[in-house]
Amino acid sequence: MNESASWFLVSEDGGPLGQIYCNDGRIEPSVGETLENGQKWKRAEVLSFEELRASCGMRRFRLVVRVIE
């Protein structure tokens, strides 16, 4: 079974920063991880995350990130 996930990114003050679809075996985020090439940023650090209720068999996470650049 091919597992996939959707990460919803928000800033420290709760503002939306985009969404990332993951289906490459990297489903769960990790605190301290650096994300790259967002729509509104180049690099961002994961500060915290929580798993949301799955939708249509896809795992979903809300990530609080700090934009580095």
Side-chain angles (χ1 to χ4, degrees):
M1 182 174 152
N2 230 355
E3 193 173 20
S4 59
S6 185
W7 296 357
F8 300 95
L9 286 75
V10 297
S11 65
E12 294 173 89
D13 62 5
L17 291 174
Q19 184 175 355
I20 298 175
Y21 293 102
C22 301
N23 60 4
D24 60 1
R26 219 178 117 235
I27 301 303
E28 217 169 285
S30 60
V31 173
E33 169 176 11
T34 299
L35 307 176
E36 296 184 353
N37 301 320
Q39 294 175 350
K40 300 177 183 180
W41 43 268
K42 288 184 181 180
R43 293 186 325 130
E45 177 186 7
V46 177
L47 300 178
S48 66
F49 70 91
E50 66 177 305
E51 187 162 6
L52 306 172
R53 172 185 257 167
S55 176
C56 299
M58 180 179 288
R59 291 176 70 184
R60 300 181 319 142
F61 295 88
R62 178 183 185 269
L63 284 69
V64 177
V65 300
R66 175 180 297 132
V67 174
I68 299 168
E69 62 179 301

